[in-house]
Each structure stands twice: as C-alpha cells, then as structure tokens.
Amino acid sequence: MAYIALYRRWRPETFDDVIGQEHITTTLKNQLKNNRAAHAYLFCGPRGTGKTSTAKIFARALNCTQPQDGNPCNQCHVCRRIISEVVTDVIEIDAASNNGVDEIRELRENVKFTPTAGKCKVYIIDEVHMLSAGAFNALLKTLEEPPEHVVFILATTEPEKLPATILSRCQRYDFRRISSKCIADRLRYIADTDDISIEEDAAEYIARMAEGGMRDALSIMEQCLSYGNGTITYQQIVSVLGTTDIDFKLKMADAVIKKDTVKILKMLNDITTYGRDLNVFIKDLIMHFRNLLIIKSTNKYEELLDIPQEQINEYRDQAKDVETNSIMRIIKILSRCQNEMKRAVQPAITLEMAMIEICHPEVQPDIDGLIERISVLEDKLNNIKPGQAMQNVPQPPPSEQPKAVKEEKQDKKQKTKKIEKKSDKKQKSEKIEEKSDKKPQNMVSEPAPELKLIKEKWKDIMANIKNEKMFVYTFLLKAHPALVKGDVLVISINQDVELYKTALDKSENKEFVKGVIKETTGYDMNIKYVLREEQDNQQTFENKEDIMQQPIVKEAVQLFGKDKVEIIDD
C-alpha cells in the first residue's frame, strides 16, 4: 500500500475533528440538524486552516443517511462511496487550473442532472478567486438560483478578489489561524497515537513555525520525523528548517541593541557558513523584536505572547536594555530589508547593510535616525559623573596655552573690573524703585506669574510630554519658556536646531503641548516658538542697546510693540 502523508492521513473526518474553528463547525451542524442548509457557501481564510476539509465533511453530512448530531456517520454506503470518490454527487473543482468560461459553462449544464446516490450534489470550487471575469459572470446566474438539489461551496485564501455580486450570494465563513497551543496539543496527540517520540519544545516550536496552519505543522513534523528516524527533537527542527535556536536569536538581538557591529557581522557569517536560510532568520528576528515591543508596551504580555514561560523571562530581561522607539526603528528597518531581500541578487549583503544602518543611526537621514541619535546622546550624558567631562580633557600648562586663550582670560579680568567699578548699589536700587512706581502696567519687567509657575513646572511638563510623544519631547530639549503676554507663551529654541521649530509649529503638535501645559499648570496658553542664539548664562551687556539687539527682545518688541517693552537694570 502506498504511503499516505500525515496531513492526508489525519485529515478531519467529522466537524468535531476540526480544531480551532468551533465558531464555524457549530453553525454548520445546527443548520444540518434543523434542515436549514443554504444553497451557496464561501469558506475563506489562511492556508491549512481546514477550509477544504470542512467542505468535504459538510458534503458528506448533507448526503449521509444516518447523521449523528449534525456529523456524517462515515459508515453508511453513501458516506463510504463519497470517501472512496466513486460517486459523482460531490465534485471538486480546482479553479486555478479550470478558470475559463468553458469550464463554468460545462458546470452549468451538469447541475441540471439529479444526484445518483445521495440527496444532493455538492460542488466544491477551491481557490475560487482564480476564476476569470468571464467565468465569474457565467457562474453568477447559477449561483443565485441553483436547482434545489445543488449546493455550492467556494473556498479561497483571498476573498477580497471576488466580485461583490458573488459575495452577496453566499453565506460567508471566515476561518481563523489556529493557535499554537491547539496545534501543539494536536501534534502531541498524533505522536502518541502513532508511537512517535517528540519533545515538548519541539512540538511548540513546530506550532509556532506553522503560523496558524495545521497542514503546515503536519508537513514540518513529517519532514523532521524522516530526519530523526522516529524521534523529533528541537535541534533536529532547527537543522531541518535552516532556522536558528532561541539562544542564537537572543545573542543577536543583544548585539543589535548594543550596536556591536563586529559581533553582528560575525554571527551573520556563521548563519551563511552553516547553510541557514537568511529569509527565515530575518523573519524570526523581526518576530523576536515584536515580542520585545509587546513586553515594553503592555503589562498583559503573557496573554499576548505565544511562547513558553522561560522564554518570556529571557525576553523580559532583554527588554530592560532597550527603549520602545528603538525597537520600533529596528523592526521598520528589518521589515524593509525582508522585502528587499526577496528581490536581491545577494541577500546576505542586503541584510548586512540593514544591520549597519541599525548600528549607525547617523547614516539614516529621516526622523527615526535623528531621534535615535538624540537618545544615544542622552544616555551618554546621563552616564557622565559630575566633573568627569573636565577631568577627561587634558589641560596644557599656562606657558603652552594658545594666545587666544590668554587674551580671553585678560578680557574676562577687565570685564570683572568694570563691574566692580559700578556706582553705589543702594543709590541704584532707589532709582529702580522710583522708576517702577511710574512704570505703565503693561511694561515688561518682572516675569509674569504664569511664566514663573510654568518655569517651576517645566520639568513636570517635559516629563508628561515624554510619556505621550517622545519626538516632541526630543524637539523641546533645547527650548525653554521665555515670555508670557496675555494668553501667549513664547518658547525660545536654540537657533542651531531650526529644524525642530518647523516640526513643533505644526498645529497638532502645538495643540498637544498646549494641552499638557494646561493639564500641568492650569493655564490655557497659546504657544509661539521663536529662535534664539545660544548664549552663556553668565553673559553680561555693556548697555541697553546691546540688550535690545538680542533676538528674544526683538521678538518681544515685534509681538507686543516697542512702547510696551522697557529694559530695567536689575
């Protein structure tokens, strides 16, 4: 007797044998028990999820002489003849190879004939989306009003390609991807029944590799069974499928997080040397970082991750070393690389380029690369101990210092002497008090109370912004609240980051910052961004004319009017 593949030998024989599709099998059984079967059905969903198997079970159940709770008995003469394929009452058509108008016209002629053995004729059209436009038109009338003894079951993995006129004439049933747990349990049951030795990790790994398809899982199991001569282990699966084990992926992800380019390239070389499939590897690596992203994004990750508990612990430890925005950037680059590798002549070089791009954000000109570079700089600054930066800079002896440095020191000494020679402070204070009494109410002198509170709460405002929109927080790192007039808050930004101002001036970003400020301080302020030259906080000015030339003062004059701005010695 010829060998029968596992997926054929273990094809479901009743609705109860179909795993993971209870929402469909229960409905079909109830229709059969209540004699309310429709004339046309559409079974759609991913490959290997049970569409064709369910269609065959339904065809037998429609014709069975001794149905049992909606299931076919598979023992009566009709069921046995349908199973043996010696009866013409169940007709299977592959639309991929019979997609023309002539084939459908022949079908329309044959539906007129009554069934020979059962109660009805069942047409199962697989991959129905492959029919031509003319074939769909030819099928339309028959599908809408078939003879009473005919039932159509259309199966497809791409229902979006079907015309709306076809969809509207069928009862649609969407088959779901089968969970890894259901597939692993089924594999263990089959192994016990067939006296096959399979490791727990091996069954779970096959289930994950099958991506929700039971047929794919059985094909992988059979392939590994031949390799292991009756036993299936985790390492055998890794060898047969050309994948990498979890330890290797953890080490690779760790190198990517640490941006260790040399280690990454060595590990990629090992993959190609040992004949591993690069396309499978990058798919696994993307899924690895997807798992890290879920752990970073939610507290209920154990419900969302379809992996063993010990691996979840390893993922959780690794997730502590990387930020969410970095994970998202890595996934974007790897996903783009995965698509490019399908067309690349040398996919290994394409993957190496993507890894180097991840490790060196300076080569990535878009906003993701900019945010990553800023994040790296922040980490470095946070790790610098007080005084460490100055200690690491070698200082030349006074005799060897450049002439410009000496002149700068002399200038500072002269400025200090000028400051010390200023008029008596007490007399100046009396003038200031006298002047302030005569000052109009709208003149700019002391900070507005709103500005004072906003400055005090600025750290809290920035923390709230960081929690909700990391990129806005990044753009505001070189900014500070500078001025308040009425309901306008002027935020000053360093002139060397003009690009940030363009992004912050977008209406949605302004409204976001405005909302955070209102939530934190209670003030409902409109936002205005201005550029300023970066200055030393200790800078002094010789006269008021110098101060009036400063960008922030010019902006205040332009915003409120020259008669509303006055410079007062402090």
Coordinates of all heavy atoms in Angstrom, one line a residue, residues 421-469:
K421 N 33.5 98.5 39.4 CA 33.6 100.0 39.5 C 32.2 100.6 39.3 O 32.1 101.8 39.1 CB 34.5 100.5 38.4 CG 36.0 100.2 38.7 CD 36.9 100.7 37.6 CE 38.4 100.3 37.9 NZ 39.2 100.8 36.8
K422 N 31.1 99.8 39.3 CA 29.8 100.4 39.1 C 29.4 101.3 40.2 O 30.0 101.1 41.3 CB 28.8 99.3 38.9 CG 28.8 98.7 37.5 CD 27.7 97.7 37.2 CE 27.7 97.2 35.8 NZ 26.7 96.2 35.6
S423 N 28.5 102.2 40.0 CA 28.0 103.1 41.1 C 27.4 102.4 42.2 O 27.1 101.2 42.1 CB 27.0 104.1 40.5 OG 26.0 103.4 40.0
D424 N 27.2 103.1 43.3 CA 26.7 102.5 44.6 C 25.4 101.8 44.3 O 24.5 102.4 43.7 CB 26.6 103.7 45.6 CG 26.1 103.2 46.9 OD1 27.0 102.6 47.6 OD2 24.9 103.3 47.2
K425 N 25.3 100.5 44.8 CA 24.1 99.7 44.6 C 22.9 100.3 45.3 O 21.8 100.2 44.8 CB 24.4 98.3 45.1 CG 25.4 97.5 44.2 CD 25.5 96.1 44.7 CE 26.5 95.4 43.8 NZ 26.7 94.0 44.3
K426 N 23.1 100.9 46.4 CA 21.9 101.4 47.2 C 21.3 102.5 46.4 O 20.0 102.6 46.3 CB 22.4 101.9 48.5 CG 21.3 102.5 49.4 CD 21.8 102.9 50.8 CE 20.7 103.4 51.7 NZ 21.2 103.8 53.0
Q427 N 22.1 103.5 45.8 CA 21.6 104.6 45.1 C 20.8 104.0 43.8 O 19.8 104.5 43.5 CB 22.7 105.5 44.6 CG 22.2 106.8 44.0 CD 23.4 107.7 43.7 OE1 24.6 107.3 43.8 NE2 23.1 109.0 43.4
K428 N 21.4 103.0 43.2 CA 20.8 102.4 42.0 C 19.4 101.8 42.4 O 18.4 101.9 41.6 CB 21.7 101.4 41.4 CG 21.1 100.8 40.1 CD 22.0 99.7 39.5 CE 23.3 100.2 39.1 NZ 24.1 99.1 38.5
S429 N 19.3 101.1 43.5 CA 18.1 100.5 43.9 C 17.0 101.5 44.2 O 15.8 101.3 43.8 CB 18.3 99.7 45.2 OG 19.3 98.7 45.0
E430 N 17.3 102.7 44.7 CA 16.3 103.7 44.9 C 15.8 104.2 43.6 O 14.6 104.5 43.5 CB 17.0 104.9 45.7 CG 17.3 104.5 47.2 CD 18.1 105.6 47.9 OE1 18.4 106.6 47.2 OE2 18.3 105.5 49.1
K431 N 16.7 104.4 42.6 CA 16.2 104.8 41.3 C 15.3 103.8 40.6 O 14.3 104.1 40.0 CB 17.4 105.0 40.4 CG 18.3 106.2 40.7 CD 19.4 106.4 39.8 CE 20.3 107.6 40.1 NZ 21.4 107.8 39.2
I432 N 15.6 102.5 40.8 CA 14.8 101.4 40.2 C 13.4 101.4 40.9 O 12.4 101.3 40.2 CB 15.5 100.0 40.5 CG1 16.7 100.0 39.6 CG2 14.5 98.9 40.1 CD1 17.6 98.7 39.9
E433 N 13.3 101.6 42.2 CA 12.1 101.6 42.9 C 11.2 102.8 42.4 O 10.0 102.7 42.2 CB 12.3 101.6 44.4 CG 12.9 100.3 44.9 CD 13.2 100.5 46.4 OE1 12.9 101.5 47.0 OE2 13.7 99.5 47.0
E434 N 11.9 104.0 42.3 CA 11.2 105.2 41.9 C 10.7 105.0 40.5 O 9.6 105.4 40.2 CB 12.2 106.4 42.0 CG 11.5 107.7 41.6 CD 12.5 108.8 41.6 OE1 13.6 108.6 42.1 OE2 12.2 109.9 41.2
K435 N 11.5 104.4 39.6 CA 11.1 104.2 38.2 C 10.0 103.2 38.1 O 9.1 103.3 37.3 CB 12.3 103.7 37.4 CG 12.1 103.8 35.9 CD 13.4 103.5 35.2 CE 13.3 103.8 33.7 NZ 14.5 103.6 33.0
S436 N 10.0 102.1 38.9 CA 9.0 101.1 38.8 C 7.6 101.6 39.2 O 6.6 101.1 38.8 CB 9.4 99.9 39.7 OG 9.5 100.3 41.0
D437 N 7.6 102.6 40.1 CA 6.3 103.2 40.5 C 5.7 103.9 39.4 O 4.4 104.0 39.3 CB 6.5 104.2 41.7 CG 6.9 103.4 42.9 OD1 6.6 102.2 43.0 OD2 7.5 104.1 43.8
K438 N 6.5 104.5 38.5 CA 6.0 105.3 37.4 C 5.7 104.4 36.1 O 5.2 104.9 35.1 CB 6.9 106.4 37.0 CG 7.2 107.4 38.1 CD 8.2 108.4 37.6 CE 8.5 109.4 38.8 NZ 9.5 110.4 38.4
K439 N 6.1 103.2 36.2 CA 6.1 102.3 35.0 C 4.6 101.9 34.7 O 3.9 101.6 35.5 CB 6.9 101.0 35.4 CG 6.9 100.0 34.3 CD 7.7 98.8 34.7 CE 7.0 98.2 36.0 NZ 7.7 97.0 36.4
P440 N 4.3 102.0 33.4 CA 2.9 101.5 33.0 C 2.7 100.1 33.3 O 3.7 99.3 33.4 CB 2.9 101.7 31.4 CG 4.0 102.7 31.2 CD 5.0 102.5 32.2
Q441 N 1.4 99.7 33.5 CA 1.1 98.3 33.9 C 1.5 97.3 32.9 O 1.9 96.2 33.3 CB -0.4 98.2 34.2 CG -0.8 96.9 34.8 CD -2.3 96.9 35.1 OE1 -3.0 97.9 34.9 NE2 -2.8 95.8 35.6
N442 N 1.5 97.5 31.6 CA 1.8 96.5 30.6 C 3.2 96.4 30.3 O 3.6 95.6 29.4 CB 1.0 96.9 29.3 CG -0.5 96.7 29.5 OD1 -0.9 95.9 30.3 ND2 -1.3 97.4 28.8
M443 N 4.1 97.2 30.9 CA 5.6 97.1 30.5 C 6.1 95.8 31.1 O 5.7 95.3 32.1 CB 6.3 98.3 31.1 CG 6.1 99.6 30.4 SD 7.1 100.9 31.0 CE 6.6 102.2 29.9
V444 N 7.1 95.3 30.3 CA 7.8 94.0 30.7 C 8.9 94.3 31.7 O 9.8 95.0 31.4 CB 8.4 93.3 29.5 CG1 9.2 92.1 29.9 CG2 7.4 93.1 28.4
S445 N 8.8 93.8 32.9 CA 9.8 93.9 33.9 C 10.0 92.6 34.6 O 10.9 91.8 34.2 CB 9.4 95.0 34.9 OG 8.2 94.7 35.5
E446 N 9.3 92.3 35.6 CA 9.4 91.1 36.3 C 8.6 90.0 35.5 O 7.6 90.3 34.9 CB 8.8 91.2 37.7 CG 9.6 92.2 38.6 CD 9.1 92.3 40.0 OE1 8.1 91.6 40.2 OE2 9.6 93.1 40.8
P447 N 9.0 88.7 35.6 CA 8.3 87.7 34.9 C 6.8 87.6 35.4 O 6.5 87.8 36.6 CB 9.1 86.4 35.4 CG 10.4 86.9 35.8 CD 10.2 88.2 36.4
A448 N 5.9 87.4 34.4 CA 4.5 87.2 34.8 C 4.3 86.0 35.7 O 5.1 85.0 35.6 CB 3.7 87.0 33.5
P449 N 3.3 86.0 36.5 CA 3.1 84.9 37.4 C 2.9 83.6 36.7 O 3.3 82.5 37.1 CB 1.9 85.3 38.3 CG 1.2 86.4 37.5 CD 2.3 87.1 36.7
E450 N 2.3 83.7 35.5 CA 2.1 82.5 34.7 C 3.4 81.9 34.3 O 3.7 80.7 34.3 CB 1.2 82.7 33.5 CG -0.2 83.2 33.8 CD -0.3 84.7 33.8 OE1 0.8 85.4 34.0 OE2 -1.4 85.2 33.7
L451 N 4.3 82.8 33.8 CA 5.6 82.3 33.4 C 6.4 81.7 34.5 O 7.1 80.7 34.4 CB 6.4 83.5 32.8 CG 7.8 83.2 32.3 CD1 7.8 82.1 31.2 CD2 8.5 84.4 31.8
K452 N 6.3 82.3 35.7 CA 7.0 81.8 36.9 C 6.6 80.4 37.2 O 7.4 79.5 37.4 CB 6.8 82.8 38.1 CG 7.6 82.4 39.3 CD 7.4 83.4 40.4 CE 8.2 83.0 41.7 NZ 7.9 83.9 42.8
L453 N 5.3 80.2 37.2 CA 4.8 78.8 37.5 C 5.1 77.8 36.4 O 5.5 76.7 36.7 CB 3.3 78.9 37.7 CG 2.6 77.5 38.0 CD1 3.2 77.0 39.3 CD2 1.1 77.7 38.1
I454 N 5.0 78.3 35.2 CA 5.4 77.4 34.0 C 6.9 77.0 34.1 O 7.2 75.8 33.9 CB 5.1 78.0 32.7 CG1 3.5 78.1 32.5 CG2 5.7 77.2 31.5 CD1 3.1 78.9 31.3
K455 N 7.7 77.9 34.5 CA 9.2 77.6 34.6 C 9.4 76.6 35.8 O 10.2 75.7 35.7 CB 10.0 78.9 34.9 CG 10.2 79.7 33.6 CD 11.1 80.9 33.9 CE 11.4 81.6 32.6 NZ 12.4 82.8 32.8
E456 N 8.6 76.8 36.9 CA 8.8 75.9 38.0 C 8.3 74.5 37.7 O 8.8 73.5 38.1 CB 8.0 76.5 39.2 CG 8.6 77.7 39.8 CD 7.7 78.3 40.9 OE1 6.6 77.8 41.1 OE2 8.1 79.3 41.6
K457 N 7.3 74.5 36.8 CA 6.7 73.2 36.5 C 7.2 72.6 35.2 O 6.7 71.6 34.6 CB 5.1 73.3 36.3 CG 4.4 73.7 37.6 CD 4.2 72.5 38.5 CE 3.3 72.8 39.7 NZ 3.1 71.7 40.5
W458 N 8.3 73.2 34.6 CA 8.7 72.8 33.3 C 9.2 71.4 33.2 O 9.0 70.7 32.3 CB 9.8 73.8 32.8 CG 10.2 73.6 31.4 CD1 11.4 73.2 30.9 CD2 9.4 73.8 30.2 NE1 11.4 73.1 29.5 CE2 10.2 73.5 29.1 CE3 8.1 74.2 30.0 CZ2 9.7 73.6 27.8 CZ3 7.6 74.3 28.7 CH2 8.4 74.0 27.6
K459 N 9.9 71.0 34.3 CA 10.4 69.6 34.4 C 9.2 68.6 34.3 O 9.2 67.6 33.6 CB 11.2 69.3 35.6 CG 12.6 69.9 35.5 CD 13.4 69.5 36.7 CE 14.8 70.1 36.7 NZ 15.7 69.7 37.8
D460 N 8.1 68.9 35.0 CA 6.9 68.1 35.0 C 6.2 68.1 33.7 O 5.8 67.1 33.2 CB 5.9 68.6 36.1 CG 6.5 68.4 37.5 OD1 7.4 67.6 37.7 OD2 6.0 69.2 38.4
I461 N 6.2 69.3 33.0 CA 5.6 69.4 31.7 C 6.4 68.5 30.7 O 5.8 67.8 29.9 CB 5.6 70.9 31.2 CG1 4.7 71.7 32.1 CG2 5.3 71.0 29.8 CD1 4.8 73.2 31.9
M462 N 7.7 68.6 30.8 CA 8.6 67.8 29.8 C 8.4 66.3 30.1 O 8.4 65.5 29.2 CB 10.0 68.2 30.0 CG 10.4 69.6 29.4 SD 10.3 69.6 27.6 CE 11.8 68.8 27.2
A463 N 8.2 65.9 31.4 CA 8.1 64.5 31.7 C 6.7 64.0 31.1 O 6.7 62.9 30.6 CB 8.1 64.3 33.2
N464 N 5.7 64.8 31.2 CA 4.4 64.4 30.7 C 4.4 64.3 29.2 O 3.8 63.4 28.6 CB 3.3 65.4 31.1 CG 3.0 65.3 32.6 OD1 3.3 64.3 33.2 ND2 2.6 66.4 33.2
I465 N 5.1 65.3 28.5 CA 5.3 65.2 27.1 C 6.1 64.0 26.7 O 5.7 63.3 25.7 CB 6.0 66.5 26.6 CG1 5.1 67.7 26.8 CG2 6.5 66.4 25.1 CD1 5.8 69.0 26.5
K466 N 7.1 63.6 27.4 CA 7.9 62.5 27.1 C 7.1 61.2 27.1 O 7.3 60.3 26.3 CB 9.1 62.4 28.0 CG 10.1 61.2 27.7 CD 11.3 61.2 28.7 CE 12.2 60.1 28.3 NZ 13.4 60.1 29.3
N467 N 6.2 61.1 28.1 CA 5.4 59.9 28.3 C 4.4 59.7 27.1 O 4.1 58.5 26.8 CB 4.6 59.9 29.6 CG 5.5 59.8 30.8 OD1 6.6 59.2 30.7 ND2 5.1 60.3 31.9
E468 N 4.0 60.8 26.5 CA 3.0 60.7 25.5 C 3.5 60.8 24.0 O 3.1 60.0 23.2 CB 1.9 61.7 25.7 CG 1.1 61.5 27.0 CD -0.1 62.5 27.1 OE1 -0.8 62.6 26.1 OE2 -0.3 63.0 28.2
K469 N 4.5 61.7 23.8 CA 5.0 61.9 22.5 C 6.5 62.1 22.6 O 7.0 63.2 22.8 CB 4.4 63.1 21.8 CG 2.9 62.8 21.3 CD 2.4 63.9 20.3 CE 1.1 63.5 19.8 NZ 0.6 64.6 18.9

